[in-house]
């Protein structure tokens, strides 16, 4: 299949499930020392489609990186299902390889993620060779590598063919990683903290690149980050995670300007220089994924519960578990007893 | 309105009352391939009870600046200028005096603090270490009491003194580092990227701790970060560094909201404000990379990346010019944008 | 899409040039170390002697039936290093002995490195029962005392040149395997391995394209040190009487010298020269190995 740029944001075929990666009820567990089980991901429904940028936001321990890695099969789920283009994902070597041809992961640390003994050319060509994309494409390997490097903003691409990672700057390495992912012409790109290790002044360029990939190539992008400002900058939709669950999801503008969930509200309030909200600094650390609180997992730290605002539903917060939030891309949804009770009242 | 060009004279405390006064500091590292100029003529002042932010990215010299305050740069480095701590020049001090200043006068919270804790010693022992060094007569009961006090001040339970570093989270380790910096009741704390690797909520907790400690005790603080929004929130004044020099200085909120120098503008825009419609789908960044101190260009070091560079910028390196209570080093401030890129 | 046109040199050629340039740089770094050069010099000397043995000393000098020198005669103008108990020239024995000692050392090392690297890679890279079993095998061999095992094997296989090679190869691979295993374990965790997996690489691709090239430098440095050990081991085994009686090596010379009481008769020319040669060769390989290790491991270099 020849890679070709699309003209509009979505280049899927007319099938309803084209170029769509979805999970339902995904759970990932790790055994820890001491015999306890850490529920790193405790039930997530997420839908990713070509042509849109989704931000997966959360702090460390929220499960966002685990979710991203499970999407490309690097971590095996304990429960739940991943579907690609409507069909359940085969966890065989071949099935995963086929998935990885379409869904590419760009790892977090650009200096570690490139083999120091491989030149830029070899790193970018690796995907082409593994998936045998050169024969049948009508172009040489060098041309495809050059195209991928150009799409990632590295021009002229030939000047970088024989460089080694340690000869490049942080921004260039990140672009090489992105080029390596683009070389196989995926439909979806998952970027784990794409700019967190880069200098401030060059972040904008990498983010602009991700947006450009959506515009020009119709890629879907999932950006995993702890930075709400980044989500505001480039995401169409946002999903906020806490302790293994998605607690709020919806269009970025809505979620970040009128957050419903107390956790989202607290996160927004503490961003420096955001003056709209009174800072609510949550006490304590994110609790242990081996000891998830009963009921709503946020209730021990919930400012609404502590302040009495949620007194009407306090028993539910402490005792009743919340269902997994639907992954349906439309609409602004929130997983909170207080918010649900308000909706009931207002409807 | 002053017309002098030193930021000291542009609104900070009078030099005599300054806790820390750095004057015309030059630091050059010796490498196999010749000298590497890390700091090229920096002036900075911190008064008691004041928080001064130093903003910049990799290669701008900010970490070198921090380590020079305690004369911690490698012996092969060439240093010139003055670092006046309470009126005495740290660079000219004798060993005994310097040792007293280190930690008891001024202390540093290092960058990458997550790796600065010794993994084989308990937290309590590491917190007690500076006390044993500087106050050797102190009895054990008092030391234990003090350790518990310090942990409490940074919001951690006293029982944590028995933990090993690997049992703590990133935010907790960072707070331990801050507690360690306060162990000997210093007058000045230098914090080098204290919240960089931390989550937003933990960052808020740590910044709260820093701010309370500084304000409550009249300690002076020099805080280094590449995140201008964090600095704007916490600091009184901000100094922006680029390629070893100061390119802007002024009150924190002004530097963040209305930067004079194009680089400060870029740094400010790099962390978009949530809720600002202008920042939706408009990531702002600079082309190129932060400058390599080994290959500095002639003229303004920012010119290769500057959206407002004019031909004159390629020849002359601009000096710091005062504008009321602020200062900036750019010849194009106030000029209309003749060459929009 | 932009047509890149034909670059003046193809990517392959450019890559080859770069590799040549990098070899040249490695050589320059190596040559900068005196110890490495000295070691290399000694080694080259012995290799030349070994290869040029037919030229330097006629092979007939080894034939016991043709020997007509004095028994254990001291060095004289005719026999520069004296004679052995059969009247053969010790110098001739020394020259021809270098062949066997070096050959056995190198051949045994090849076997040892191949087994050791393979098992080290497998036990390091694969988890699960494959990794565990190979590691147990390595540990088992490591724990068995070397000399009794070598003696037992030699007794079983019988005395012979190739048997000695096998004995040494089979008993010295565990330490290599352990080293390679720990290096593999640390490389396995690197982010670029994960990236390869995320791109779609299978296990063999990851091992061959990513793990192995990063392990190779350690393999090289380890090889030279292994050769030193192998030469010493051959000498030891031959001295103990397990060597091949039909081929003279420095070890068999020492064995014969011991048997005929060369030390008590004061026939130093029979004992010292082979001993010195062994020491020199082992020293040479060790110096080369250490210099190589410093050159190939940039972290060691940076400390200077």
């Amino acid at each position: 299949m020849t890679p070709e740029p699309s003209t509009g944001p979505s280049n899927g075929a007319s099938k309803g499930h084209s170029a769509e990666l979805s999970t339902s009820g995904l759970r990932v567990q790790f055994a820890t020392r001491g015999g306890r089980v850490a529920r790193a991901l405790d039930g997530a429904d997420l839908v990713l489609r070509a042509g849109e940028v989704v931000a997966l936001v959360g702090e460390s321990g929220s499960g966002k990186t685990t979710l991203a890695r499970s999407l490309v099969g690097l971590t095996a789920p304990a429960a739940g299902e991943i579907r690609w283009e409507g069909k359940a994902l085969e966890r065989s070597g071949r099935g995963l390889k086929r998935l990885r041809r379409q869904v590419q992961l760009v790892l977090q640390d650009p200096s570690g993620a490139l083999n120091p003994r491989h030149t830029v050319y070899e790193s970018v060509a690796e995907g082409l060779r593994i998936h045998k994309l050169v024969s049948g494409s009508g172009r040489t390997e060098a041309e495809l590598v050059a195209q991928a490097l150009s799409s990632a903003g590295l021009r002229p691409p030939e000047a970088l063919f024989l460089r080694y990672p340690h000869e490049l700057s942080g921004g260039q390495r990140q672009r090489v990683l992105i080029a390596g992912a683009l070389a196989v012409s995926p439909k979806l790109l998952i970027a784990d903290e794409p700019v967190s290790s880069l200098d401030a002044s060059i972040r904008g360029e990498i983010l602009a690149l991700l947006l450009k990939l959506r515009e020009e190539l119709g890629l879907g992008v999932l950006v995993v980050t702890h930075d709400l400002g980044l989500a505001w900058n480039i995401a169409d939709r946002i999903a906020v995670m806490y302790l293994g669950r998605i607690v709020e999801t919806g269009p970025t503008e809505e979620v970040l300007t009128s957050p419903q969930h107390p956790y989202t509200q607290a996160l927004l309030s503490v961003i420096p220089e955001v003056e709209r909200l009174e800072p609510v600094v949550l006490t304590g650390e994110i609790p242990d994924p081996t000891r998830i609180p009963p009921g709503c997992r946020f209730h021990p730290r919930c400012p609404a519960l502590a302040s009495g605002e949620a007194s009407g539903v306090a028993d539910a917060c402490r005792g009743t578990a919340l269902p997994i939030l639907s992954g349906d891309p439309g609409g602004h949804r929130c997983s909170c007893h207080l918010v649900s009770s308000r909706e009931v009242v207002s409807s | 309105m002053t017309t002098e060009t030193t930021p000291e004279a542009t609104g900070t405390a009078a030099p005599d009352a300054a806790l820390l006064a750095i004057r015309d500091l030059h630091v050059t590292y010796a490498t196999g391939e010749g000298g590497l100029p890390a700091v090229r003529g920096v002036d900075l002042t911190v008064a008691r009870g004041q928080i001064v932010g130093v903003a910049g990215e990799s290669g701008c010299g900010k970490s070198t600046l921090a380590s020079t305050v305690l004369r911690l740069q490698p012996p092969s480095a060439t240093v010139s200028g003055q670092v006046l701590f309470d009126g005495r020049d740290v660079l000219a001090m004798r060993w005994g005096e310097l040792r007293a200043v280190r930690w008891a006068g001024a202390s540093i919270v290092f960058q990458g603090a997550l790796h600065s804790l010794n993994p084989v010693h308990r937290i309590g022992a590491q917190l007690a270490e500076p006390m044993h060094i500087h106050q050797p007569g102190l009895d054990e009961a008092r030391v234990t009491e003090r350790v518990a006090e310090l942990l409490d001040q940074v919001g951690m339970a006293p029982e944590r003194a028995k933990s090993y570093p690997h049992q703590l989270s990133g935010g907790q380790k960072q707070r331990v580092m801050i507690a360690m910096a306060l162990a000997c009741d210093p007058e000045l704390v230098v914090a080098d990227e204290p919240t960089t690797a931390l989550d937003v909520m933990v960052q808020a907790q740590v910044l709260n701790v820093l701010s309370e400690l500084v304000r409550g005790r009249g300690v002076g603080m020099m805080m280094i970060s590449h995140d201008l929004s964090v600095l704007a929130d916490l600091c009184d004044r901000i100094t922006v560094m680029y390629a070893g020099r100061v390119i802007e200085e002024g009150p924190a909120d002004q530097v963040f909201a209305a930067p004079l120098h194009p680089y400060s503008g870029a740094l400010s825009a790099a962390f978009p404000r949530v809720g600002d419609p202008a920042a939706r789908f408009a990531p702002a960044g600079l082309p190129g990379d932060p400058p390599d101190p080994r290959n500095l260009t002639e003229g303004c070091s920012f010119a290769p990346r500057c959206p407002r560079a004019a031909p004159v910028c390629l020849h002359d390196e601009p000096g710091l010019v005062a504008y009321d209570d602020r200062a900036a080093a750019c010849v194009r401030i106030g000029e209309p944008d003749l060459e929009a890129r | 899409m932009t047509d890149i046109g034909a670059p003046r040199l193809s990517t392959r050629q450019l890559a080859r040039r770069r590799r040549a340039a990098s070899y040249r740089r490695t050589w320059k770094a190596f040559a900068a170390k005196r110890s490495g050069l000295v070691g290399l010099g000694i080694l080259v000397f012995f290799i030349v002697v070994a290869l040029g043995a037919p030229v330097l000393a006629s092979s007939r000098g080894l034939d016991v039936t043709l020997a007509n020198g004095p028994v254990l005669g001291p060095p004289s103008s005719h026999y520069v290093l004296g004679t052995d108990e059969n009247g053969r020239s010790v110098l001739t024995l020394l020259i021809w002995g270098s062949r066997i000692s070096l050959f056995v050392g190198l051949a045994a090392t090849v076997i040892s490195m191949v087994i050791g690297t393979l098992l080290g890679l497998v036990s390091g890279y694969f988890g699960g029962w494959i990794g565990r079993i190979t590691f147990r095998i390595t540990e088992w061999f490591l724990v068995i005392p070397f000399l009794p095992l070598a003696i037992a094997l030699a007794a079983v296989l019988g005395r012979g040149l190739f048997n000695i090679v096998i004995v040494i190869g089979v008993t010295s691979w565990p330490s290599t395997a352990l080293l390679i295993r720990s290096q593999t374990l640390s490389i396995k965790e690197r982010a670029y391995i994960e990236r390869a997996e995320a791109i779609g690489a299978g296990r063999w691709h990851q091992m061959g394209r990513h793990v192995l090239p990063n392990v190779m430098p350690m393999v090289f440095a380890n090889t030279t040190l292994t050769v030193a050990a192998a030469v010493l081991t051959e000498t030891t085994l031959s001295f103990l009487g397990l060597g091949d009686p039909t081929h003279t090596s420095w070890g068999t010379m020492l064995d014969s010298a011991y048997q005929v009481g060369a030390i008590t008769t004061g026939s130093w020319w029979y004992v010292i020269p082979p001993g010195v040669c062994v020491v020199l060769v082992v020293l040479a390989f060790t110096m080369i190995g250490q210099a190589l290790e410093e050159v190939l491991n940039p972290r060691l270099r940076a400390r200077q």
Side-chain angles (χ1 to χ4, degrees), chain C residues 63-123:
Chain C
D63 196 333
V64 176
T65 55
L66 296 173
N68 53 14
V71 172
L72 286 180
S76 61
S77 55
H78 200 52
Y79 295 103
V80 180
L81 278 178
T83 56
D84 72 345
E85 77 278 16
N86 295 309
R88 297 181 290 181
S89 161
V90 167
L91 184 62
T92 308
L93 292 174
L94 207 62
I95 291 173
W96 282 89
S98 68
R99 283 195 156 192
I100 303 301
S101 295
L102 283 177
F103 168 71
V104 171
L106 288 167
T109 300
V110 166
I111 296 180
S112 163
M113 290 309 292
V114 166
I115 302 180
T117 306
L118 209 60
L119 283 176
L121 270 176
V122 167
S123 69

Side-chain angles (χ1 to χ4, degrees), chain A residues 59-60 169 199-205 207-208 211 214 226 228-229 231-236 252-253 256 266-268 270-273 276 280-285 301, chain B residues 57-58 169 172 175 199-205 208 226 229-230 232-233 256 267 270-277 279-290 305:
Chain A
E59 300 178 285
S60 38
S169 71
D199 279 310
S201 63
I202 55 179
R203 289 180 181 210
E205 296 258 303
L207 295 179
L211 277 182
R214 174 184 67 142
H226 65 266
L228 287 169
W232 179 260
N233 221 198
I234 64 166
D236 298 304
T252 314
E253 264 139 26
L256 292 183
L267 276 186
L268 278 168
V270 297
I271 296 180
E273 291 297 295
R276 297 171 291 117
V280 177
V281 180
L282 297 176
T283 51
E285 313 275 332
R301 299 170 85 199
Chain B
E57 303 174 287
S58 49
S169 72
Q172 288 171 326
R175 281 183 274 169
D199 292 319
V200 163
M201 194 58 71
V202 179
Q203 176 177 279
Q205 291 169 342
N208 262 11
H226 65 188
S229 56
V230 163
D233 224 19
F256 181 67
L267 213 53
F271 295 92
R273 255 173 283 192
V274 173
D276 180 8
R280 281 292 279 156
F281 300 118
L286 290 173
D289 295 297
R305 304 169 80 194

